[in-house]
Amino acid sequence: MASGPVRWHRPARCTHLDGALTWIDCNVLAVHEAGDHYIAIGRVQSLGETTAAAPLLFYRGTYAGLSPTPESPPTDLDAFLTTIHPDDWL
């Protein structure tokens, strides 16, 4: 697996990761502990433009992607997701 520094830039208030599909700039209003995670509640200040690129998802312990077909929309989320090799997103 490739590794290296995460490239980023800061055009305004928030840090943008290079290669990200979009970004959200928000003010954090509250942070709640949730087991081994934290849930941050924020007020959105601005949004980045979106792209047509497919997102990377983490679902049921593995990375996955979306592969919808207009002819047969999925009725089950498992049918909608495809497994991605870990090196695909680096």
Side-chain angles (χ1 to χ4, degrees):
M1 184 181 322
S3 65
V6 174
R7 297 193 191 294
W8 57 274
H9 61 283
R10 185 175 292 189
R13 294 176 5 118
C14 67
T15 300
H16 297 190
L17 300 177
D18 292 348
L21 297 183
T22 193
W23 52 268
I24 300 173
D25 182 14
C26 65
N27 292 334
V28 176
L29 301 178
V31 177
H32 304 281
E33 288 189 43
D36 63 348
H37 291 75
Y38 292 93
I39 299 171
I41 307 299
R43 176 170 286 128
V44 174
Q45 300 299 309
S46 59
L47 297 170
E49 295 293 324
T50 59
T51 68
L56 174 67
L57 305 173
F58 192 76
Y59 177 68
R60 293 192 175 170
T62 189
Y63 289 99
L66 300 175
S67 63
T69 59
E71 302 82 32
S72 58
T75 57
D76 177 9
L77 184 58
D78 287 321
F80 194 60
L81 298 172
T82 60
T83 301
I84 292 179
H85 188 273
D87 291 335
D88 289 347
W89 61 280
L90 294 176

